[in-house]
Amino acid sequence: MHTNYYFLRQLAPALTERLRGYRVAVCFTQEKDELVIGLTNGTAEFWLKAQLGANFPALALPETFQRARANSVDLFPDMLGQQVETVVAWPQDRVLQVNFRSGARLVFKLYGPRPNAIFRTSPDGKAGLFHQKLLADADLRPQAASTSAETPASSESAQSVKSVKSAVQKLAPPLADLPLRYLRQHGYDEATPEAKTRQLNQVLAQLEKPAHYYLIQLDGRTRLSLLPMGEVLETFAGDDPVTALRRFVPMALGRRALEMETKQLRQLLERRADEAGTAAAHARQRLHALAHEAGYRHTADLIMAHLHEIPAGATQIEVLDFYTNQPKTIKLKRTEKPQLTAENLYRKGKNQQIEERQLSERIARREAEALTALERLEEMDTLPALAELRGLRTWRKQHGLDPTPTAAKVATELPFKVFEDRGFTILVGRNAVNNDLLTQKYAHKDDLWLHAKDVTGSHVVIRHKAGQTIPEPVVEHAAMLAGWYSRRQHDTLCPVTVTPKKYVRKPKGALPGQVVVERERVVLVKPGNPFERE
């Protein structure tokens, strides 16, 4: 609430009491989004440091400040020598205004996404903007000089009470999130309309004349509050908002790195747990599908057992399945010998066994990763050492929690056949729908795309690396895979289309896996899986 109206209306008279008669000695910036103003009355100095970044707008009041010798730029030269008359808060707004005796005005607009400072030499003078890209701020007009905000506040209280009576769910806009949460923690939502009115009046009274200011820890953030909430770190008297603000801003800035890294680390672990759980579920579904498919080895055994019964040129045979004692129809190729069909089925059976083993290993590995991520999340809530930035970074390094996942780890999460060759990742689609997913969603425009020419088959993609040319041996191995996972699997040589993915497009209304290649080169390779052979 350090930028909320209810705090600013307490801060304004306190600053007026301290700064009346002070003159502006310096006004400069030496850090991005930071405006520093030094004031003096001849014997004492007072510093205003406005943090005008979108992430954390604040008005800091350091007791001392040392200007850097370099990278320091003077701003608002017409402000120098101006003598402070009053400081006021705009009614129901997050704006603090410094009124000078000459009629000049300095406005601190402390809106979260777009804070700014606006200076005018007179109420109708040309506006000077700290953030010059926020041109609309030039139309903001300072309020008339006033040392009291009691009337607007009282009016707001009456409006809030009236609002409760007419619509019990509607709360006053300047209450912000902390008072709203405070009300709800004390049973506001379940209370009767009369009780809601009473509770809101009590909170408004506390906000308009707070007994204390609290530095609190809530939802992983350090905040300044006018109400006791969350974990109270420090408490300050309600008649000294300057001291509370002086303590809060350095503490909040100091803890921001810890809070941000903790939040990022928590998001990383949650994402890893979710991705690992999803990958394990997908692998389990694929394993279940393989377990319920007709086994290739089973069919090959039946062909070899009834080889003497198969006439030349047959396209199918019906045999007694000695595994189930039921009749079974087996499709054959007219131009292929039954022995060769059985040999190909045995090879597929071997590959299926390999895939089942790999899927089982993947399920175990990914479930273990999900469990580990959940355990790390639990540790973040229980280990006292993680409350300090150094301890958090040491713990993160010990457990290898790099925010950017490695390429190898990303590869294992992809729903395609994945191969690694000389540091390059090769992805192979599993079916027509999977081909669409690979080409349309996963492939980058600079990836290399391959496909067996003029026949159906898997889409193959070689992931590009910035600044590196894909070596020809890698292209050749990927082309062999494109031929192997196609209708040309048993051809002596297979022509394979090779082109950057940016030249591959899917026509409107095309079936899954169908694409048009606008530019290509063709390589001839022998179909095979070079990685299995190795």
Side-chain angles (χ1 to χ4, degrees), residues 488-533:
R488 297 185 184 273
Q489 184 182 73
H490 303 297
D491 290 3
T492 303
L493 285 175
C494 172
V496 176
T497 294
V498 182
T499 185
K501 191 269 172 185
K502 61 186 175 183
Y503 298 123
V504 180
R505 63 181 178 84
K506 184 176 180 65
K508 186 175 181 180
L511 296 175
Q514 289 185 343
V515 294
V516 172
V517 179
E518 297 177 345
R519 191 180 302 180
E520 66 177 349
R521 69 182 175 100
V522 178
V523 297
L524 284 174
V525 294
K526 179 175 179 164
N529 187 337
F531 306 101
E532 183 178 288
R533 185 172 64 247

Side-chain angles (χ1 to χ4, degrees), residues 19 41 57 76 93 112 135 149 180 207 209 233 264-265 283 331-332 349 359 398 435 439 447 487 503 505 507:
L19 293 180
N41 64 356
F76 302 138
D93 211 339
L135 298 178
L180 180 59
L207 295 176
K209 193 172 182 180
L233 304 176
Q264 291 170 354
L265 190 52
K331 292 184 178 181
L332 302 170
L359 286 170
Q398 287 174 346
N435 284 341
T439 301
D447 291 346
R487 290 282 186 178
Y503 298 123
R505 63 181 178 84

Side-chain angles (χ1 to χ4, degrees), residues 5 33 41 49 64 103 155 164 175 187 232 280 285 311 342 344 356 412 427 443 455 464-465 471 486 511 524:
Y5 162 70
D33 300 329
N41 64 356
K49 186 172 73 169
T64 60
S155 174
V164 171
L175 281 178
V232 178
Q285 290 175 0
N344 292 334
E356 288 175 349
T412 62
L427 306 177
V455 295
H464 83 291
K465 289 187 175 182
S486 76
L511 296 175
L524 284 174

